[in-house]
Amino acid sequence: MTANERGQYSAAPSALGYIYQVRYALLESLRRLRKGQEFVVAIETLDDVVFEQDGEAPELLQTKHHVNSAADLTDGSTDLWKTLRIWCEGIQADSIPSGTLYFLVTTAEAADGHAAHYLKPGENRNSVTAMERLNSTANSSENQTNASAYQAYRGLNENQRKELLQNAFVVDS
């Protein structure tokens, strides 16, 4: 059944995204249990998936699921900027403690040479280059969809941006 056959008000895409969150939380929980870790997992609290230890939330996971469209995480990607907005607003509100690790888990691909690519784990990881690219986008883009995210990002001082991006990881594809 195509999107047109389901109708424009179908909740199917939202439901699939939520199921993706739950399944990813379960998978990651099973991995942690095998290692003997003690934790509490929460869904849709500080972020899509939150792993807490000793009452603190040291890891926040934002999940993005795409079925029919081939999404890329470029410097102007709405998925990337929505995620950054959530994290930036949490930092500004002091609801996210310093040292928290941030993960964007997505079915999209982090496009080579873009900020998200430099936030992937591995040898090409470079949070300084990612910050330069994001700073440039936040200061020059006229994309109205991302405007509130650009504003939230610019609301962080340089040290806050640096810590956020040093602790942010993109897990793509």
Side-chain angles (χ1 to χ4, degrees):
M1 178 178 290
T2 67
N4 289 339
E5 292 169 334
R6 286 191 299 265
Q8 70 183 36
Y9 301 111
S10 172
S14 295
L16 284 173
Y18 188 72
I19 291 169
Y20 182 67
Q21 287 176 4
V22 172
R23 290 181 65 171
Y24 194 84
L26 177 59
L27 173 65
E28 189 59 30
S29 294
L30 292 171
R31 288 179 177 157
R32 290 164 191 250
L33 286 171
R34 288 184 68 185
K35 295 178 182 176
Q37 295 178 356
E38 291 188 27
F39 60 91
V40 173
V41 64
I43 297 174
E44 292 292 340
T45 56
L46 284 175
D47 214 336
D48 290 345
V49 180
V50 177
F51 287 97
E52 299 178 15
Q53 294 174 323
D54 302 321
E56 293 287 324
E59 295 180 38
L60 304 180
L61 289 81
Q62 182 72 205
T63 60
K64 301 291 182 193
H65 184 266
H66 299 276
V67 176
N68 295 325
S69 61
D72 284 334
L73 290 176
T74 60
D75 293 341
S77 164
T78 301
D79 280 354
L80 177 62
W81 282 103
K82 281 182 180 179
T83 298
L84 288 171
R85 180 185 54 80
I86 291 166
W87 295 341
C88 291
E89 288 175 353
I91 292 167
Q92 291 166 338
D94 279 334
S95 61
I96 300 176
S98 180
T100 295
L101 297 177
Y102 306 89
F103 296 90
L104 170 55
V105 181
T106 179
T107 57
E109 184 175 347
D112 285 348
H114 290 269
H117 174 77
Y118 293 112
L119 294 176
K120 291 172 56 170
E123 63 187 47
N124 293 324
R125 183 173 167 76
N126 188 332
S127 63
V128 173
T129 300
M131 187 166 83
E132 291 168 356
R133 296 193 66 86
L134 293 172
N135 287 350
S136 176
T137 302
N139 291 323
S140 66
S141 178
E142 296 179 11
N143 181 325
Q144 291 304 302
T145 303
N146 295 341
S148 62
Y150 299 150
Q151 181 179 357
Y153 179 80
R154 289 191 309 263
L156 298 181
N157 65 43
E158 186 174 346
N159 287 334
Q160 289 172 314
R161 288 182 201 174
K162 190 179 295 184
E163 181 180 350
L164 168 62
L165 296 174
Q166 285 173 344
N167 293 341
F169 297 86
V170 172
V171 181
D172 69 339
S173 298

